[in-house]
Amino acid sequence: MNYKEAVKLIEKLVEKKCYYVDFVPFTFPDRNYAELDDYLETPYKETYAKKIIFIAFALMYYYDCHVYLDEEMSESFSNFKKKDLRNICLDILDAFIHKLVVENRSGLNIITHADNTHSLMRIEDGYQTLFFNINGECLNIIKQLVDHQGLFLKKSNISR
C-alpha cells in the first residue's frame, strides 16, 4: 500500500466506530479533572508510552499491517516521510511512539488487515490512542492486549 492509498484509507477509517484506551475503568463524571491530568503528565507518561508500544508491536506482528507517520511528524523526520515504517528497526519505531506519547505529538497510524477488512490504531498524542473499525476477532485481540497492559478499552460516543 502506498502513501496516497494509506491516507485515503485512514480518512475513511476514522469515520468508523471508535474505541479508545484509558487508564481508568470508569469515566469521570466531571470532565474538568485538569489537576489530575497535569499530575499524571510526569510520573505516568513514560509507563503509558511503554504499554502503548507493547500493544502496537504485538498488533504489528499478529496482523499484516502498514505504518505511516502523519504529515506533522514526517516534517520532523523527513527521511521517513510518506514511507511505510512497518519494516524499520523496532528501536526506531519505539522512539517514534515514545516521542508521540511523551511530547504530546501527532501521530502514527497502524493500518491492520484482518478478516477481509482494515482497521486502524492511531496514536495521536499523549494519552490519545484510538482504534477504528475493530470488530470480531480483531476487537477481542485488541481488548486482550489492552487488558494485559492494565489499561481499559472503551467505546467512544463521539464521532469524528
Side-chain angles (χ1 to χ4, degrees):
M1 175 180 306
N2 68 41
Y3 180 75
K4 283 186 178 184
E5 292 170 334
V7 169
K8 285 181 184 179
L9 182 56
I10 290 165
E11 287 172 355
K12 287 180 185 176
L13 290 172
V14 297
E15 294 184 10
K16 303 286 184 180
K17 181 172 56 175
C18 176
Y19 289 82
Y20 64 98
V21 176
D22 204 347
F23 52 92
V24 292
F26 53 84
T27 302
F28 289 97
D30 179 2
R31 295 301 277 163
N32 186 14
Y33 56 95
E35 182 180 12
L36 174 61
D37 190 47
D38 290 343
Y39 173 77
L40 294 174
E41 281 293 315
T42 305
Y44 293 104
K45 210 139 210 205
E46 291 285 336
T47 302
Y48 183 81
K50 289 177 185 175
K51 292 176 181 215
I52 295 304
I53 291 165
F54 176 89
I55 293 166
F57 286 2
L59 284 176
M60 287 171 49
Y61 279 88
Y62 193 80
Y63 292 113
D64 289 332
C65 70
H66 301 276
V67 180
Y68 288 96
L69 292 173
D70 276 357
E71 198 69 33
E72 178 186 323
M73 274 298 279
S74 293
E75 295 305 319
S76 300
F77 303 96
S78 58
N79 49 332
F80 296 105
K81 187 175 187 171
K82 298 182 179 182
K83 293 184 180 174
D84 188 345
L85 306 180
R86 172 56 188 95
N87 294 312
I88 66 168
C89 171
L90 290 179
D91 288 338
I92 294 171
L93 198 50
D94 180 295
F96 282 135
I97 297 171
H98 182 268
K99 188 172 197 69
L100 292 170
V101 172
V102 173
E103 295 181 10
N104 295 324
R105 306 247 337 246
S106 194
L108 183 92
N109 301 287
I110 301 172
I111 303 166
T112 59
H113 186 256
D115 302 326
N116 296 319
T117 190
H118 288 97
S119 300
L120 175 66
M121 177 182 184
R122 180 162 169 73
I123 304 167
E124 288 191 347
D125 62 81
Y127 290 112
Q128 189 81 342
T129 300
L130 307 167
F131 292 92
F132 296 92
N133 202 40
I134 56 174
N135 299 296
E137 179 190 326
C138 185
L139 174 59
N140 187 43
I141 294 293
I142 291 169
K143 176 139 180 36
Q144 288 179 53
L145 288 169
V146 170
D147 289 350
H148 178 265
Q149 292 303 303
L151 298 169
F152 302 91
L153 187 66
K154 296 179 179 179
K155 190 173 182 179
S156 177
N157 296 329
I158 300 169
S159 59
R160 294 173 64 94

